[in-house]
Amino acid sequence: MDLSAATVWWVLAGVAVAAELTTGTFYLLMVALGLAAAAVAAHLGLAIGAQLVVAALVGGGATALWHWRRASQPRSKPARENRDVNLDIGELVQVAAWEPDGTARIPYRGSTWTARLVPGAVPAPGPHRVTAVEGNWLVLAPAPTSPT
């Protein structure tokens, strides 16, 4: 059985896509793109050296471009502080009193939660915003009161 160079490149591209599907590494799709470009170069009749250069330039260039794009995007907050992950972040709660150890028991969403203040905040009763959820603890920051 005699396989053409284009067939070998297409098989390698398929293997890279299958590997990406099992590992979830998006960069493997960029490598598969380079392998597919080499297959097209083989169909166009380029020599094996040119096919390798095309695979390296397209695959490496796509990988570098994707890495640069991801690095230039802003980082999201950790899950415990990210409203996209936890809808409790940013909610307003009322604190009746703070305990001497810096915690408070507050009613929230039909249950009683234990809360603590963000570092540097002064414990005072009143409205607070949820800034993070750590396990079953709410981390609160004083909410500015609106003038009436």
Side-chain angles (χ1 to χ4, degrees):
M1 182 161 113
D2 190 24
L3 296 176
S4 69
T7 303
V8 172
W9 286 115
W10 286 119
V11 168
L12 290 173
V15 168
V17 169
E20 190 281 329
L21 289 173
T22 59
T23 64
T25 306
F26 191 77
Y27 292 105
L28 280 174
L29 286 180
M30 302 300 109
V31 171
L33 188 63
L35 295 169
V40 170
H43 283 296
L44 294 174
L46 295 172
I48 190 70
Q51 294 170 25
L52 288 169
V53 169
V54 166
L57 289 177
V58 173
T63 301
L65 186 65
W66 184 255
H67 181 73
W68 171 80
R69 182 181 176 275
R70 286 196 59 207
S72 65
Q73 291 180 344
R75 299 272 184 227
S76 62
K77 293 181 179 179
R80 68 184 192 92
E81 299 173 4
N82 190 341
R83 183 152 172 87
D84 293 336
V85 176
N86 191 334
L87 295 179
D88 294 323
I89 307 301
E91 292 297 312
L92 194 62
V93 297
Q94 283 289 23
V95 177
W98 289 96
E99 299 294 328
D101 66 353
T103 63
R105 299 286 289 163
I106 59 168
Y108 178 63
R109 290 193 304 146
S111 183
T112 303
W113 289 67
T114 304
R116 68 172 181 84
L117 276 171
V118 294
V122 178
H128 287 71
R129 290 233 177 257
V130 177
T131 61
V133 178
E134 296 175 347
N136 59 351
W137 285 66
L138 297 177
V139 181
L140 306 179
T145 55
S146 60
T148 49

